[in-house]
Amino acid sequence: MSKTRVFIYGSCVSRDTFEHLDPARFVLDQYVARQSALSAYTRPVTLIDPPTLESPFQQRMVAGDFASSLQVLIPEAAARTDLVLVDLTDERLGAYVLPDGSVVTRSTELIQSGAEQQLPAGSQHLAFGSDQHFQYWSQGIAAVGELIRHHMPQAAVALLDIPWAERSETGASTPDSFGVSAAEANPVLRAYVQVAAQALGAQVVSLQPDEVASSPNHPWGEAPFHYAEDVYLRVVKMLTGTAGRAVWRADDGPGAGTSTASGARRSPTRTSTRASHAARGGSDAGTSPRKLEGGPNFLLLGAQRAGTAWLEQHLSAHPDVFMAPISQGPILSGRKRIENPKSRAAYLKVFADAGQQRWRGQRSFLYFWTSEGDRFDPRREDSAAIVRDYLPDDAPLLVSLRDPVSRAISAYWHAVVLGKVAAGTSIFEAAGTRGILGIGAYERHYRHWASMVGADRLKVLLHDDLVADPRGFLTQALGAIGAPAPEHSASDKALAAPVNRNATAAIMRAASPLSAAELRVLVELYRADVDFVQELTGRDLSHWTDVDRIAQAAADPRR
């Protein structure tokens, strides 16, 4: 029988768990440690060389972090890998974003070698658990998940969710790790595990805090994540359904220590988060949703702060186009609303009273925004599934996309001016419930909509074109729904690109501008989304990641 080949992406927690697997059944193929998901999905570090370390293993791991080696090692090991074993312990010290946007993991080796003190001026530490780190890291772990799914579709993924031990097996309190206690670390880790489980499509192997203890006799010394051997044996039993082997006891051998192991569970299998999401978003089994006959035959989905209000205004001025008033609200963002007889009838009456215009539309930036709920975005009902079920199957869906960093900044100041966010609040702290950052996850939103309604129905426009050529932008939008371009007239002056003339916003921007470090983090946060839109449209969007240009635009009160 061939052995199960294991790829470890994690720390000693995964490596020590592997040591307790039966060597007759499992073999280690690759081990990547000391590499945050932030580092793994960004560009290699070129501004500074990795430190020179005595340990060959530590040297290899830290050099891999500087090289963002996970991007290469996953494809290399893809054909050989049966199981990917992941833990998040190496995230605990945060990471540094260097001036060019590359990332270095803050590892014990970086600290103890003194290399941390040699990082380039302007490097920013993103502390584990901070809003900036969590949001940026969430993008990173999502990219890692996509990498695994693309190259290792046959491999199972298991995420070890083992809380830090508050006490050792002797009953003594465990020492802090760099000033952080187990009681402080565990609630923070829980949020990261939830995001990682979804991003990786992983089976999560979880223990409760009262089920773990550290060991003062652990080979690597005592720490809250250096566990007693019974903990590893319990994890192996949960992971494989069979007994592990004790390797640090005199009674070494398969089956040792099984008295503490919990009941057998199935081997790890990848769950389909996309399938489960679609199942939640679809209509109840056995029902057939009634199409909105006489309702909209096209939608303007968003994105927020990307020219949708301007586009709605000028589409409604076209003699053959009717746009439902904004007062109708985003009725298609809630299945209960569209199925309620009164709200459904009132919605359809708006279009019935509109006259004979051939094209009937509605705008809401809330439609394009998809979220299953996390620390920065509330869980949102699946508008894409609702549109699929209730609108005509050929209804075009327009999406206007703006440089996501500038869009987020514009949304932030809009919320400040409206009094929804207190002036002086960090853009990362303000992200909570208003989609300030989440709406810019263009790839996630687009892919979900495409999976629900088909990519051919999604008509992507770029805010850049609105700024450069308003008439051309309007003509693109009309062409996307099949309507003729407007005739030139003396009123063309009204087609000027939108300008923010809010004096309050101008004063606030000048008094409390975003820092250069915040802008760099935002650029890296959205880099994968920019690359996606660039590939989708075939346009050169390199200026969307130009920090200097974005900083200049961010200071412009008209934006």
Side-chain angles (χ1 to χ4, degrees):
M1 183 177 67
S2 61
K3 295 183 180 181
T4 298
R5 303 186 71 88
V6 181
F7 186 114
I8 291 178
Y9 173 45
S11 69
C12 58
V13 174
S14 291
R15 187 67 175 86
D16 291 342
T17 298
F18 175 83
E19 287 300 312
H20 290 79
L21 293 169
D22 183 352
R25 296 176 54 205
F26 296 88
V27 61
L28 182 62
D29 187 86
Q30 186 58 262
Y31 180 25
V32 180
R34 316 296 198 273
Q35 191 171 151
S36 167
L38 287 173
S39 173
Y41 103 107
T42 52
R43 70 185 75 176
V45 173
T46 58
L47 295 180
I48 186 174
D49 293 329
T52 301
L53 306 169
E54 292 185 6
S55 163
F57 167 76
Q58 292 176 320
Q59 183 71 62
R60 188 169 70 253
M61 294 299 106
V62 174
D65 177 56
F66 276 59
S68 302
S69 65
L70 191 69
Q71 299 177 27
V72 175
L73 294 176
I74 285 178
E76 284 183 352
R80 306 187 302 269
T81 300
D82 303 302
L83 169 64
V84 182
L85 195 58
V86 183
D87 73 87
L88 307 180
T89 302
D90 278 346
E91 302 286 356
R92 70 189 185 280
L93 299 177
Y96 282 96
V97 179
L98 305 191
D100 67 346
S102 58
V103 174
V104 172
T105 303
R106 188 173 186 248
S107 61
T108 55
E109 290 81 4
L110 192 77
I111 297 168
Q112 294 169 357
S113 68
E116 182 179 32
Q117 307 304 318
Q118 306 301 318
L119 294 176
S123 298
Q124 181 186 16
H125 178 227
L126 302 185
F128 180 70
S130 67
D131 290 338
Q132 285 177 297
H133 184 277
F134 186 81
Q135 181 70 23
Y136 193 5
W137 176 87
S138 297
Q139 294 288 103
I141 199 67
V144 172
E146 286 298 318
L147 198 63
I148 292 172
R149 279 187 287 277
H150 178 73
H151 292 284
M152 299 176 169
Q154 81 290 347
V157 182
L159 175 63
L160 301 185
D161 174 24
I162 308 175
W164 287 14
E166 296 187 26
R167 296 194 174 275
S168 78
E169 56 187 353
T170 66
S173 297
T174 54
D176 293 352
S177 175
F178 287 87
V180 179
S181 68
E184 294 169 324
N186 285 335
V188 179
L189 280 166
R190 168 100 321 255
Y192 282 77
V193 167
Q194 290 172 346
V195 172
Q198 179 178 317
L200 300 173
Q203 176 192 351
V204 182
V205 180
S206 296
L207 293 178
Q208 298 302 312
D210 60 0
E211 295 179 295
V212 298
S214 69
S215 173
N217 300 314
H218 191 283
W220 316 122
E222 188 166 16
F225 40 82
H226 291 165
Y227 304 102
E229 188 157 44
D230 282 353
V231 174
Y232 298 108
L233 294 171
R234 183 186 295 261
V235 172
V236 168
K237 182 73 171 180
M238 296 171 69
L239 183 65
T240 68
T242 59
R245 60 168 191 149
V247 293
W248 301 333
R249 296 175 176 172
D251 57 341
D252 182 8
T258 58
S259 62
T260 62
S262 63
R265 297 191 183 185
R266 60 185 175 86
S267 298
T269 56
R270 174 176 293 131
T271 60
S272 173
T273 55
R274 183 178 301 167
S276 63
H277 182 86
R280 286 197 303 272
S283 57
D284 294 335
T287 65
S288 179
R290 290 184 299 123
K291 295 287 187 180
L292 288 171
E293 299 295 340
N297 54 19
F298 78 92
L299 291 177
L300 181 50
L301 305 179
Q304 180 204 32
R305 312 302 292 173
T308 58
W310 183 97
L311 188 54
E312 177 189 38
Q313 174 190 349
H314 291 284
L315 285 174
S316 63
H318 193 287
D320 294 324
V321 177
F322 169 77
M323 295 295 296
I326 194 68
S327 60
Q328 289 304 302
I331 190 171
L332 296 171
S333 62
R335 195 173 288 272
K336 287 183 178 179
R337 277 174 284 185
I338 204 66
E339 291 177 347
N340 179 285
K342 289 185 177 179
S343 60
R344 180 187 180 106
Y347 184 64
L348 291 176
K349 186 176 186 302
V350 171
F351 293 95
D353 293 345
Q356 299 301 313
Q357 285 101 327
R358 178 178 175 184
W359 290 279
R360 307 177 303 277
Q362 188 199 12
R363 170 184 77 96
S364 175
F365 70 83
L366 293 175
Y367 291 156
F368 188 56
W369 180 20
T370 64
S371 173
E372 292 192 346
D374 58 33
R375 183 171 172 179
F376 286 93
D377 281 331
R379 189 176 186 278
R380 298 184 50 74
E381 196 164 345
D382 192 348
S383 292
I386 295 172
V387 168
R388 175 199 63 197
D389 291 344
Y390 290 98
L391 259 61
D393 294 338
D394 59 351
L397 306 170
L398 278 61
V399 185
S400 178
L401 300 181
R402 179 181 182 181
D403 150 23
V405 176
S406 297
R407 192 219 63 79
I409 294 169
S410 179
Y412 167 77
W413 286 116
H414 183 64
V416 170
V417 170
L418 292 178
K420 305 297 185 181
V421 172
T425 304
S426 162
I427 191 172
F428 296 95
E429 295 174 359
T433 61
R434 303 191 60 80
I436 289 173
L437 297 184
I439 289 175
Y442 295 152
E443 180 176 7
R444 183 181 82 207
H445 306 323
Y446 182 93
R447 288 191 184 280
H448 178 69
W449 272 90
S451 73
M452 286 291 164
V453 303
D456 58 314
R457 289 178 61 184
L458 296 171
K459 313 299 182 182
V460 176
L461 308 171
L462 295 182
H463 182 265
D464 289 8
D465 295 335
L466 169 56
V467 174
D469 179 11
R471 170 171 284 279
F473 182 77
L474 178 59
T475 300
Q476 286 183 57
L478 289 166
I481 65 174
E487 296 181 1
H488 289 268
S489 69
S491 63
D492 276 3
K493 291 181 180 180
L495 287 176
V499 174
N500 184 357
R501 294 184 172 87
N502 191 303
T504 303
I507 294 171
M508 288 182 170
R509 285 192 183 213
S512 181
L514 270 68
S515 69
E518 286 178 310
L519 292 178
R520 285 199 300 272
V521 171
L522 286 171
V523 166
E524 293 307 317
L525 173 66
Y526 292 124
R527 187 174 293 278
D529 293 291
V530 173
D531 290 345
F532 174 79
V533 177
Q534 188 166 250
E535 182 177 354
L536 180 69
T537 61
R539 300 273 292 270
D540 178 8
L541 301 177
S542 55
H543 56 288
W544 282 16
T545 56
D546 184 335
V547 176
D548 292 336
R549 182 200 67 83
I550 292 171
Q552 184 177 6
D556 187 343
R558 298 172 301 171
R559 300 301 180 91

